[in-house]
């Protein structure tokens, strides 16, 4: 990695897409008037569009002011205070759902997500590793392993030369290598978090381990000490609120001893304890300083370490901080390294925030890891011990998972990096994994209409409730139109979490919310949630997720065309990959209900749904009129899967019903949208209805995953469409180096009818690449996906903050987004081609369905 000044400028807009409003206005809230004029060329902006833009802007601003300034809460999408791009991030620490702490590629601790779904972007300068080398009783080298030269702690030796340090990441692991100049000593810090596929215990733990490998090329023995210093807090103003305190601890179990310092952080809501520790085993000494001032010069700590390579290790607790005061602590691990020898020092960071409130403070939630370590807030010592004594087992499991892919010489290196490193969002996406209370009954979860979900309670009791944000800037949990793409990471790696998430969605489908709300896009009031309609999301971390759904208030999503369909497609996909027949039986009535609700969009009874003349699907700023390639394709795929589910469940009547719809719908789809080379964007006959949409084969993508490759769309048409997309949207856009643009005109010019049509959506590109691979276009699939990886991770420096979208001229939108997890569908497609994918589900359920 190389430090660069940010290359991109932000653009802000309306709706979730921060693009244009519902009828295609090409205006953005944060643009200057000249930028507003630009999409129209030399002409003036139509007065109608300006007035509508102003009206939407005023509605948004009134809502934003009330939310942020009066209620003192975060906006679910903040168009006025966007998160700036910082090209500093590295592999985050922590398991799934317990919060994360991101360590940058220069070694700094710089992004904090401990309160559920809320981020604090702050590099805390006191959080450092420092090395001390001693030979023959004398300290010969002592250096903070940081390139920073801060105004604080100036009594420390800063300014490590970055030429002698190297960073590598392969999530959930990272490596920082330091070649200590002039010392003939190399330090390799191996960072590890317990993110392990199909593991539902250790993967939930809020811990990270730092394994320091010391290699000496010296001709004499050298004593090496690694000091880990940490501030009490996250660098936020709350650190100065007073009442925070530290204390040393030791924890011994099964003959293994861990020692360190606990940093108790005590705000009014969601208090937590940080723990820094080291494994005190034979040949390793552990010492500590309980408290020091991270805002001062820090000379007392520096001289303490310099004197003998150890810290004084005072006993007893520190006093609580006064208001305005900040405190920090340090732990030091030391060992003797023989000449030309090698030794290992192991340190850990753990945090214990077992009980959390969301923004509404209505309910107390217990994190998943409390099942194994308790909810009293005293688990940090045990977590530290468990992490240090189990990290080798975690590494073996991670290597067993990753090595077959890493050692496959037929896969390009960039793909291996993208596949694993994009998985960071599974933990760092504001992720929560909560326990269902032990005294919870089915009625508490199901609501008045959910009694048919017979296995809801057992599933949630066993595996908990899981949710992650649409993006770090788009704070809505389990945004379902986007999860459709990202869900492949869950179903392949933690399938029980996908099943749990689907049950939560199913509950909201069968219930309704009659509370009215005004939607900003249209300025009209509507019911928040309609019965038998899939919600857009399950809530805002600033409110009460699960309790109040649909935090997204730009559009009324009850008329969106893709949400219901994506539920049906995921149900069958999940069943096909897991063979979980109990799940299928529970979801079958829900699938029937949402499809029945969807049928109203087939206004002419031709077997094909029509879009409503507004942006009524995941492309929520790209207007669709009439039949469309995207929603029509999803509809036909869902109808096909209804037939398959009915066949499996022996429901002949429903099978015949949907087979009839499918037969009509296929004919209508081909007649209205196929133009001989690809499927038109929509059937409106407008100037842009013939645009080439990169996502036009989304229905075929899911059909292929489920072994239904060409039961709906003719194979020749699918191949022709994909080849056209590759030729036009990929190769004719930015020289073929940036992936696939969402919309392209037949003449090879990007569709600029909306902001979103001229964007590249990283997660869509990965799903498109998977579709190409499924259809035998392997080389084209890799070429398509490579453009996104090179753009995001290399040219734009957006490591571990992959955005939803970017445009050709270095404009991006929505940092750290859910959808790119769809890269795991590429891996599924590759495994299927290699014959390694899970066996298909049985054609029909046998006597008495069972879990696999």
């Amino acid at each position: 990695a190389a430090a660069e000044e940010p290359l991109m400028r932000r653009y802000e807009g309306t709706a979730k897409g921060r693009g244009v409003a519902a009828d295609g206005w090409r205006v953005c809230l944060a643009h200057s008037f000249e930028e507003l004029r630009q999409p129209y060329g030399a002409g003036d902006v139509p007065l109608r569009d300006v007035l509508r833009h102003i009206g939407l802007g005023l509605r948004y601003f009134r809502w934003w002011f009330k939310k942020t300034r009066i209620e003192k809460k975060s906006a679910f999408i903040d168009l006025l205070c966007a998160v700036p791009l910082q090209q500093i991030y590295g592999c985050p620490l922590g398991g799934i759902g317990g919060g994360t702490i991101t360590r940058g590629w220069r070694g700094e601790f710089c992004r904090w997500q401990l309160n559920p779904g809320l981020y604090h972007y702050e590099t805390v300068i006191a959080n450092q590793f420092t090395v001390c080398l001693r030979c023959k009783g004398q300290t010969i080298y002592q250096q903070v392993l940081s390139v920073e030269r801060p105004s604080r702690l100036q009594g420390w030796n800063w300014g490590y030369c970055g030429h002698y340090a190297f960073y590598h990441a392969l999530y959930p692991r990272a490596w920082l290598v330091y070649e200590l100049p002039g010392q003939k000593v190399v330090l390799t810090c191996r960072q590890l978090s317990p993110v392990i596929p199909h593991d539902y215990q250790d993967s939930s733990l809020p811990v990270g381990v730092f394994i320091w490998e010391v290699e000496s090329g010296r001709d004499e023995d050298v004593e090496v000490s690694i000091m880990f210093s940490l501030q009490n807090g996250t660098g936020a103003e709350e650190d100065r609120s007073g009442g925070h305190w530290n204390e040393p601890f030791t924890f011994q179990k099964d003959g293994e001893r861990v020692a360190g310092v606990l940093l108790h952080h005590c705000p009014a809501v969601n208090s937590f304890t940080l723990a820094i520790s080291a494994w005190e085993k034979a040949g390793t000494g552990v010492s500590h300083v309980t408290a020091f001032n991270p805002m001062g010069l820090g000379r007392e700590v520096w001289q303490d370490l310099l004197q003998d390579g150890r810290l004084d290790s005072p006993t007893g607790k520190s006093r609580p901080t006064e208001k305005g005061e900040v405190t920090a602590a340090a732990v030091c691990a030391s060992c003797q390294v023989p000449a030309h020898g090698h030794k290992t020092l192991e340190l850990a960071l753990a945090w214990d925030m077992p009980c959390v409130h969301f923004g509404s403070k209505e309910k107390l939630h217990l994190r998943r890891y409390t099942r194994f370590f308790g909810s009293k807030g005293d688990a940090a010592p045990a977590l530290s011990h468990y992490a240090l004594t189990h990290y080798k087992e975690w590494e073996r499991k991670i290597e067993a998972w990753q090595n077959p892919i890493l050692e496959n010489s037929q896969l390009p290196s960039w793909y291996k990096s993208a596949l694993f490193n994009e998985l960071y969002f599974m933990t760092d996406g504001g992720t929560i994994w909560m326990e269902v209370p032990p005294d919870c009954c089915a009625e508490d979860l199901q609501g008045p209409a959910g009694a048919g979900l017979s296995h809801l309670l057992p599933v949630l009791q066993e595996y908990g409730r899981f949710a992650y944000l649409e993006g770090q800037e788009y704070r809505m949990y389990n945004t379902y139109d986007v999860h459709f793409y990202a869900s492949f990471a869950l179903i392949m790696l933690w399938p029980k979490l996908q099943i749990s998430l689907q049950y939560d969605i199913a509950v909201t489908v069968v219930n309704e919310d009659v509370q009215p709300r005004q939607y900003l896009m249209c300025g009209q009031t509507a019911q928040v949630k309609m019965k038998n309609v899939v919600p857009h999301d399950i809530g805002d971390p600033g409110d009460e997720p699960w309790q109040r759904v649909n935090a997204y208030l730009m559009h009324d999503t009850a008329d969106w065309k893709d949400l219901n369909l994506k539920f049906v497609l995921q149900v069958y996909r999940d069943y096909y990959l897991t063979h979980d027949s109990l799940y299928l039986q529970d979801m079958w009535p829900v699938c029937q209900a949402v499809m029945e609700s969807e049928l109203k969009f087939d206004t002419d009874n031709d077997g094909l749904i029509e879009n409503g003349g507004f942006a009524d699907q995941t492309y929520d700023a790209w207007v669709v009129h009439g039949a469309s390639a995207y929603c029509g394709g999803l509809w036909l795929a869902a109808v096909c899967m209804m037939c398959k589910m009915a066949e499996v469940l022996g429901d002949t009547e429903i099978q015949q019903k949907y087979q009839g719809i499918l037969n009509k719908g296929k004919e209508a789809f081909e007649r209205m949208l196929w133009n001989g080379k690809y499927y038109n964007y929509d059937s409106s006959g407008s100037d842009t209805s013939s645009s080439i949409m990169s996502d036009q084969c989304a229905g075929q993508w899911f059909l292929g995953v489920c072994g239904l490759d060409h039961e709906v769309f003719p194979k020749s048409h699918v191949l022709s469409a994909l080849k056209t997309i590759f030729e036009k949207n990929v190769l004719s856009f930015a020289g073929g180096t940036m992936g696939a643009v969402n919309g392209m005109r037949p003449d090879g010019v990007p569709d600029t009818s909306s902001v979103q049509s001229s964007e590249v959506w990283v997660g869509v590109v990965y799903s498109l690449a998977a579709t190409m691979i499924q259809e035998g276009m392997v080389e084209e699939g890799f070429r398509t996906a490579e453009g996104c990886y090179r753009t995001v991770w290399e040219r734009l420096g957006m490591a571990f903050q992959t955005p939803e979208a970017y445009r050709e001229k270095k404009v991006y939108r929505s940092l750290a987004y859910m959808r790119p997890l769809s890269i795991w569908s590429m891996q599924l497609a590759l495994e299927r081609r290699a014959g390694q994918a899970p066996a298909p589900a049985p054609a029909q359920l046998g006597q008495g369905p069972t879990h696999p």
Side-chain angles (χ1 to χ4, degrees):
E4 298 175 356
E5 290 296 319
L7 300 174
M8 285 68 63
R9 61 178 175 85
R10 300 292 309 202
Y11 74 89
E12 306 293 345
T14 62
K16 180 174 56 176
R18 293 193 182 171
V20 298
D23 65 349
W25 319 322
R26 307 174 193 183
V27 290
C28 296
L29 285 171
H31 278 185
S32 68
F33 188 72
E34 285 305 312
E35 289 173 310
L36 178 62
R37 286 178 48 127
Q38 188 175 358
Y40 289 91
D44 293 329
V45 183
L47 178 60
R48 181 195 64 176
D49 288 0
V50 173
L51 293 176
R52 288 179 177 177
H53 166 58
I54 292 171
L56 174 60
L58 289 174
R59 287 195 298 273
Y60 178 82
F61 181 76
R62 283 197 299 266
W63 174 84
W64 178 89
F65 188 85
K66 178 183 177 184
K67 188 78 171 180
T68 63
R69 297 299 186 263
I70 298 176
E71 298 178 9
K72 304 295 184 183
K73 294 182 179 179
S74 299
F76 76 98
I77 298 177
D78 195 332
L79 303 179
L80 304 180
C81 300
V83 175
L85 172 66
Q86 297 184 81
Q87 298 160 319
I88 63 174
Y89 297 116
C91 193
L93 292 154
I96 300 173
T100 49
I101 299 173
T102 298
R103 193 168 176 233
W105 53 265
R106 293 175 298 184
E108 68 272 48
F109 293 79
C110 51
R111 186 166 65 197
W112 307 79
Q113 189 264 134
L114 299 184
N115 283 309
L118 301 178
Y119 290 82
H120 184 64
Y121 301 89
E122 186 71 34
T123 297
V124 183
I125 203 64
N127 299 351
Q128 301 290 345
F129 288 98
T130 298
V131 62
C132 175
L133 304 183
R134 290 174 58 81
C135 281
K136 300 176 181 177
Q138 297 291 323
T139 297
I140 59 172
Y141 183 83
Q142 187 162 299
Q143 173 72 48
V144 183
L145 296 173
S146 170
V147 298
E148 300 283 353
R149 297 182 182 274
S151 58
R152 300 169 184 168
L153 298 173
Q154 291 189 340
W156 296 14
N157 185 23
W158 297 90
Y160 185 86
C161 180
H163 179 75
Y164 297 99
F166 308 88
Y167 182 82
H168 311 268
L170 196 66
Y171 188 79
R173 298 178 291 172
W175 296 260
L176 259 170
V177 182
Y178 302 89
E179 297 175 354
L180 304 184
Q183 304 305 315
K184 296 184 179 180
V185 172
V186 176
L187 306 176
T188 301
C189 177
R190 194 164 75 252
Q191 174 185 309
L192 171 71
S193 295
V195 181
I196 304 164
H198 306 286
D199 182 309
Y200 299 93
Q201 175 176 322
D202 289 4
S203 290
S204 71
L205 303 183
V207 297
V209 181
F210 306 96
I211 305 100
W212 288 84
E213 306 285 355
V214 185
E215 299 175 79
S216 174
R218 302 177 69 93
D219 294 330
E220 69 279 349
D221 294 354
V222 59
E223 182 182 336
V224 179
S225 299
I226 300 292
M227 181 178 75
F228 183 13
S229 55
L230 193 77
Q231 184 168 310
N232 189 325
T234 64
E237 191 61 32
E238 189 180 78
D239 292 5
R240 301 175 181 271
S241 61
H244 313 307
W245 54 284
N246 308 332
E247 65 173 326
F249 78 93
T250 59
F251 191 96
Q252 187 160 341
K253 183 179 179 181
D254 300 329
E256 302 294 347
R257 178 183 169 94
V258 166
V261 180
L262 303 175
L263 299 88
H264 301 289
H265 197 73
C266 309
V269 180
N270 296 346
S271 61
F272 61 92
T273 296
L274 296 161
I276 50 176
S277 61
W279 196 351
E280 193 173 13
K281 53 187 183 180
T284 300
V286 179
S287 55
H288 71 269
V289 56
T290 307
F292 69 92
N293 179 13
M295 301 298 167
L297 296 176
R299 284 176 180 157
E300 68 282 7
V301 178
W302 190 260
Q303 293 299 322
D304 187 2
L305 183 65
L306 189 70
Q307 184 176 354
D308 57 5
R310 286 170 169 76
L311 301 173
D312 283 345
S313 300
T315 59
K317 304 175 183 178
S318 71
R319 61 172 178 80
T321 57
E322 300 290 338
K323 189 171 183 179
E325 184 182 13
V326 182
T327 187
V331 168
C332 179
S334 307
C335 67
Q336 192 80 13
V337 183
H340 300 281
H342 172 273
K343 281 292 181 70
T344 302
L345 296 169
E346 295 114 326
L347 296 101
L349 171 62
W351 53 98
D352 184 23
M353 184 193 283
C355 310
V356 295
H357 284 97
F358 292 106
S360 72
K361 303 181 180 65
E362 291 177 26
K363 292 188 174 185
L364 187 66
H365 301 265
L366 300 184
R367 295 191 191 265
R368 168 72 173 183
Y369 75 89
T370 61
R371 172 179 294 205
F372 315 109
F373 286 87
S375 58
K376 297 179 180 179
D378 59 359
L383 283 166
S384 303
H385 184 278
Y386 189 86
L388 287 167
T389 56
H390 285 77
Y391 82 83
K392 293 179 181 177
E393 176 187 343
W394 296 342
E395 282 191 314
R396 285 193 295 269
K397 290 179 179 179
I398 291 169
E399 288 170 357
W401 160 44
Q402 293 186 340
N403 282 352
I405 295 171
L406 299 177
E407 294 170 359
N408 185 342
S409 60
Q410 295 182 324
L411 298 176
S413 296
W414 69 261
Y415 170 75
K416 299 170 185 178
S417 172
L419 183 69
F420 293 114
N421 283 330
E422 290 289 8
L423 200 60
Y424 84 96
F425 197 81
M426 192 54 62
T427 60
D428 203 21
T431 312
I432 50 176
W433 188 0
M434 302 303 189
E435 287 287 275
V436 172
D439 59 350
C440 184
C441 64
E443 290 73 21
D444 295 333
L445 297 170
Q446 292 171 343
L453 300 170
S454 58
H455 296 91
L456 167 73
L457 184 59
V459 167
L460 296 189
Q461 283 181 327
E462 178 62 26
Y463 297 104
R465 305 182 100 169
F466 172 86
Y468 58 155
L469 296 177
E470 179 180 336
Q472 290 182 11
E473 292 191 74
Y474 291 4
R475 288 183 289 272
M476 295 157 283
Y477 274 123
N478 292 350
T479 298
Y480 202 72
D481 57 303
V482 184
H483 171 71
F484 172 73
Y485 297 83
S487 63
F488 281 88
L490 275 182
I491 196 61
M492 291 182 68
L493 303 175
W494 294 277
K496 298 300 184 183
L497 295 185
Q498 166 67 7
I499 300 298
S500 169
L501 186 155
Q502 286 284 92
Y503 268 105
D504 270 330
I505 293 294
V507 168
T508 65
V509 168
V510 297
N511 290 290
E512 63 182 329
D513 186 345
V514 296
Q515 178 186 3
R517 178 172 61 193
Q518 186 176 69
Y519 289 90
L520 296 175
M521 195 65 69
C522 59
Q524 296 175 348
T525 299
Q527 197 168 310
V528 173
K529 165 68 179 62
M530 299 289 289
K531 187 175 182 180
N532 295 335
V533 173
V534 172
H536 174 274
D537 58 82
I538 60 99
D540 179 352
D543 188 16
E544 192 62 48
W546 293 298
Q547 190 76 10
R548 285 183 290 279
V549 303
N550 277 343
Y552 176 69
L553 51 68
M554 290 298 184
H555 292 279
D556 176 4
T557 58
D559 284 332
W560 276 24
K561 307 305 184 291
D562 58 340
L563 292 168
N564 290 353
L565 306 176
K566 289 173 175 178
F567 180 82
V568 173
L569 293 171
Q570 288 185 69
V571 165
Y572 187 74
R573 190 259 335 251
D574 298 345
Y575 168 68
Y576 181 82
L577 295 178
T578 66
H579 304 183
D580 190 336
S581 56
L582 294 180
Y583 166 72
L584 182 64
Q585 288 184 330
D586 263 1
M587 295 298 155
W588 178 234
V590 186
C591 288
Q592 293 180 67
V594 299
M595 288 298 282
E596 195 65 31
S597 175
E598 191 81 9
L599 274 170
K600 67 178 179 289
F601 299 127
D602 180 8
T603 56
D604 55 6
N605 197 33
D606 65 350
L608 188 64
I609 62 171
E610 289 83 39
N611 289 88
F614 65 101
D616 53 358
Q617 26 69 45
T618 195
Y619 297 87
D620 60 349
W622 193 359
V623 179
V624 199
H625 297 266
S628 70
Y630 182 70
C631 291
L634 293 176
W635 162 254
L636 292 178
V639 171
C640 177
M641 290 187 185
M642 288 293 289
C643 296
K644 291 298 176 182
M645 286 187 279
E647 179 184 351
V648 170
L649 293 163
D651 195 332
T652 305
E653 181 180 352
I654 295 296
Q655 184 181 1
Q656 291 175 347
K657 172 183 176 179
Y658 281 98
Q659 188 61 55
I661 294 172
L662 182 61
N663 293 338
K664 287 196 302 181
K666 287 196 295 185
E667 187 278 330
F669 188 80
E670 297 295 327
R671 171 171 46 82
M672 299 176 71
L673 295 168
W674 179 251
N675 65 16
K677 287 188 176 181
Y678 59 91
Y679 294 102
N680 286 336
Y681 177 68
D682 66 24
S683 64
S684 67
S686 68
D687 292 342
T688 58
S689 67
S690 61
S691 288
I692 307 162
M693 187 187 198
S694 66
D695 212 3
Q696 65 183 268
C697 294
Q700 176 64 24
W701 172 40
F702 258 68
L703 289 170
V705 166
C706 299
L708 305 173
D709 297 68
H710 297 290
E711 297 204 12
V712 177
F713 309 102
K715 181 177 178 64
S716 60
H717 289 190
V718 171
L719 287 174
S720 177
L722 291 173
K723 289 176 181 177
T724 302
I725 293 166
F726 183 68
E727 175 188 345
K728 297 292 187 179
N729 300 57
V730 179
L731 296 184
S732 298
F733 177 73
T737 63
M738 295 183 74
V741 68
N742 282 338
M744 180 67 81
R745 300 295 300 136
D747 60 1
V749 176
D751 180 343
T752 58
S753 62
S754 84
V755 170
Q756 290 178 344
S757 61
S758 59
E759 289 180 329
V760 175
W761 286 10
V762 180
V764 167
V765 173
Y766 288 150
S767 68
L768 169 62
T771 311
M772 290 176 171
I773 292 169
Q774 286 173 186
E775 300 299 327
M777 298 171 58
V778 179
E779 182 178 346
E780 293 90 338
F782 276 117
R783 172 78 182 272
T784 298
E786 182 179 3
C788 279
Y789 176 82
R790 302 289 187 193
T791 299
V792 171
W793 289 79
E794 295 181 354
R795 288 194 288 273
L796 302 184
M798 291 179 162
F800 298 101
Q801 52 184 330
T802 302
E804 156 73 322
Y806 57 79
R807 301 173 75 182
E808 185 174 3
K809 300 301 182 183
K810 297 179 180 177
V811 176
Y812 67 94
R813 178 170 60 78
S814 185
L815 289 172
Y817 200 76
M818 175 198 289
R819 203 179 324 245
L821 287 169
S822 63
I823 193 171
W824 279 89
S825 68
M826 289 183 65
Q827 183 60 25
L828 182 60
L830 290 167
E831 290 176 4
R832 186 171 178 232
R833 288 186 60 81
Q836 301 168 354
Q844 189 164 357
L845 292 183
Q847 302 295 322
T850 59
H851 282 293

